[in-house]
Amino acid sequence: MAKKSKKQQGGTPATVALTAAGVPFTVHSYDHDPAHPSYGEEAAEAMGVSPDRVFKTLVADVDGTLTVAVVPVAGQLDLKALAAAMAGKRATMADPSLAERTTGYVRGGISPLGQRRKLPTVLDASASSHPTICVSAGRRGLEVELSPEDLWKLTDAVLAPIGRT
């Protein structure tokens, strides 16, 4: 279970949601470098964790419905697979400013947890091959580590192969 320091007591909406759900998690923080070309790869490097265990949160539009896709930072989102997982015909990446407004988070810090408005979520099936995975805690330079099963349950996610290397 995460320990709350005085500084972390309020937390981000993601850590507040995890705490409220009683889910065990670990917070990892690091100094974000704005010059780094990839938020996710930066997180994996800073934490010393395999990029296969660090997942990025992307917002896409599937047939007019904003949808969250959670895929390993080591790969890319397969938009056709995402559309299929949601029983849709077409998926495109959402406008970044719309994604920020809808989730309440900034790009590079969008968490699948504690979003302003809960969106349909698809978690890449590769997550289930790890005992724990890391996702954004809602701020650049802040990650949470939790079991993929807990993430799946808390987000009501569909588990599907939506990532590609």
Side-chain angles (χ1 to χ4, degrees):
M1 190 62 88
K3 294 177 184 161
K4 291 183 191 176
S5 65
K6 205 149 181 74
K7 181 182 174 191
Q8 191 187 29
Q9 214 150 10
T12 65
T15 60
V16 168
L18 286 165
T19 301
V23 169
F25 67 98
T26 304
V27 174
H28 299 276
S29 71
Y30 59 92
D31 291 326
H32 166 62
D33 176 4
H36 201 288
S38 167
Y39 297 116
E41 288 175 11
E42 176 190 26
E45 291 167 10
M47 294 185 303
V49 174
S50 166
D52 293 339
R53 282 191 45 230
V54 179
F55 283 64
K56 56 189 168 187
T57 305
L58 303 170
V59 180
D61 180 317
V62 178
D63 295 340
T65 300
L66 287 181
T67 304
V68 172
V70 185
V71 295
V73 301
Q76 295 180 327
L77 171 61
D78 181 335
L79 289 166
K80 287 183 182 179
L82 176 63
M86 295 303 296
K89 293 182 180 186
R90 185 166 185 260
T92 58
M93 293 306 297
D95 175 72
S97 59
L98 178 60
E100 289 178 342
R101 281 193 314 274
T102 305
T103 63
Y105 294 119
V106 298
R107 200 173 68 167
I110 294 178
S111 177
L113 300 156
Q115 296 180 356
R116 183 176 288 152
R117 189 176 95 202
K118 190 172 183 175
L119 299 173
T121 301
V122 181
L123 175 60
D124 185 66
S126 69
S128 60
S129 65
H130 305 287
T132 62
I133 60 172
C134 299
V135 296
S136 176
R139 190 171 67 227
R140 294 174 188 152
L142 196 66
E143 296 277 315
V144 289
E145 182 176 351
L146 73 164
S147 81
E149 185 175 296
D150 285 336
L151 179 63
W152 171 66
K153 287 178 183 175
L154 289 173
T155 58
D156 295 321
V158 170
L159 196 62
I162 60 168
R164 64 173 184 231
T165 53

